[in-house]
Amino acid sequence: MNPEIEFREGLDELAVHYKSILTLLGEDTQREGLLKTPIRVAKAMQILTRGYAQDAHKVLTDALFAEKYNQMVIVKDIDFFSLCEHHMIPFYGKAHVAYIPNGYITGLSKIARVVDIYSHRLQVQERLTQQIKECIDSTLHPLGVMVVIEAKHMCMQMRGVEKQNAITTTSDFCGAFNQAKTREEFMNLLRGESKKI
């Protein structure tokens, strides 16, 4: 286990509830394989929802640098995992984030951390997309921000319609990205329609 993980208050109480859930599902919580399951699940859920205890705005301002660069900055293919708030089943995929600086830039890894923080909460993909955009916009005050998320939802794969290959795409943007030409440039760069590195 990662020694840096600090579990939040309520861990033991959460484990008690998971023990009750196992019983209600018809399991014997005293059998060997399930003895430690309630506390394991409680710890896992606190890790999967650690975003509630983290401040995405602070992450960005901790690495804020004055820079006279006003062209598009893109961090793409940011892997993420989240839990759907409707069934508490995972959805996962990639986030692509672009912003146009307005006198300040942030560390590139901080963009990925913002995605990580908001995805580690109970979510819907639409809100996740919006929260990432709003955090970057309100913290960095850039000329524009755009976020595109592509994800697979296990609540659609494992239950319900059981469609294994359905991908959901959401986007949100503001500022300079309200111009179709700027959005098109971003989408072209995402598709790799630029010189390869």
Side-chain angles (χ1 to χ4, degrees), residues 60-76:
L60 290 177
T61 56
D62 280 352
L64 197 60
F65 310 102
E67 192 66 48
K68 292 178 181 177
Y69 182 83
N70 61 359
Q71 300 300 313
M72 201 179 299
V73 176
I74 300 174
V75 183
K76 67 179 186 174

Side-chain angles (χ1 to χ4, degrees), residues 125-133 147 149 170-172:
Q125 184 175 332
E126 296 87 343
R127 185 192 313 122
L128 175 60
T129 307
Q130 213 169 25
Q131 287 177 332
I132 295 165
K133 184 222 48 175
V147 178
I149 293 181
T170 51
S171 69
D172 197 9

Side-chain angles (χ1 to χ4, degrees), residues 126-162:
E126 296 87 343
R127 185 192 313 122
L128 175 60
T129 307
Q130 213 169 25
Q131 287 177 332
I132 295 165
K133 184 222 48 175
E134 289 173 355
C135 177
I136 294 168
D137 186 47
S138 65
T139 308
L140 299 183
H141 307 290
L143 298 174
V145 183
M146 185 164 178
V147 178
V148 173
I149 293 181
E150 302 168 295
K152 288 189 172 186
H153 292 249
M154 295 189 81
C155 57
M156 284 180 65
Q157 294 176 309
M158 296 173 65
R159 55 162 299 284
V161 294
E162 296 186 7

Side-chain angles (χ1 to χ4, degrees), residues 8 23 25 42 59 65 72 79-80 83 93 102-103 110 128 155 168 173 185 188 193:
R8 306 191 301 276
T23 301
L25 291 174
V59 164
F65 310 102
M72 201 179 299
D79 292 315
F80 77 89
L83 289 176
N102 186 20
K110 306 308 179 187
L128 175 60
C155 57
T168 302
F173 51 85
E185 180 186 348
N188 286 341
E193 295 177 14

Side-chain angles (χ1 to χ4, degrees), residues 48 80-93 123 125 151-168:
L48 294 173
F80 77 89
F81 298 88
S82 192
L83 289 176
C84 165
E85 68 179 31
H86 299 143
H87 302 99
M88 291 178 68
I89 295 176
F91 68 97
Y92 60 95
Q123 279 290 7
Q125 184 175 332
K152 288 189 172 186
H153 292 249
M154 295 189 81
C155 57
M156 284 180 65
Q157 294 176 309
M158 296 173 65
R159 55 162 299 284
V161 294
E162 296 186 7
K163 299 303 178 195
Q164 307 306 312
N165 298 305
I167 296 173
T168 302

Side-chain angles (χ1 to χ4, degrees), residues 2-53:
N2 185 340
E4 295 178 9
I5 293 173
E6 289 184 22
F7 293 106
R8 306 191 301 276
E9 190 176 337
L11 183 67
D12 291 334
E13 187 178 352
L14 198 55
V16 170
H17 288 292
Y18 277 114
K19 186 172 182 179
S20 297
I21 289 169
L22 289 169
T23 301
L24 289 168
L25 291 174
E27 271 291 356
D28 173 11
T29 57
Q30 295 308 304
R31 71 178 176 85
E32 185 181 10
L34 291 178
L35 284 174
K36 294 183 179 178
T37 295
I39 192 65
R40 286 190 191 110
V41 177
K43 287 178 177 179
M45 288 304 294
Q46 283 208 354
I47 292 167
L48 294 173
T49 61
R50 66 180 181 256
Y52 289 120

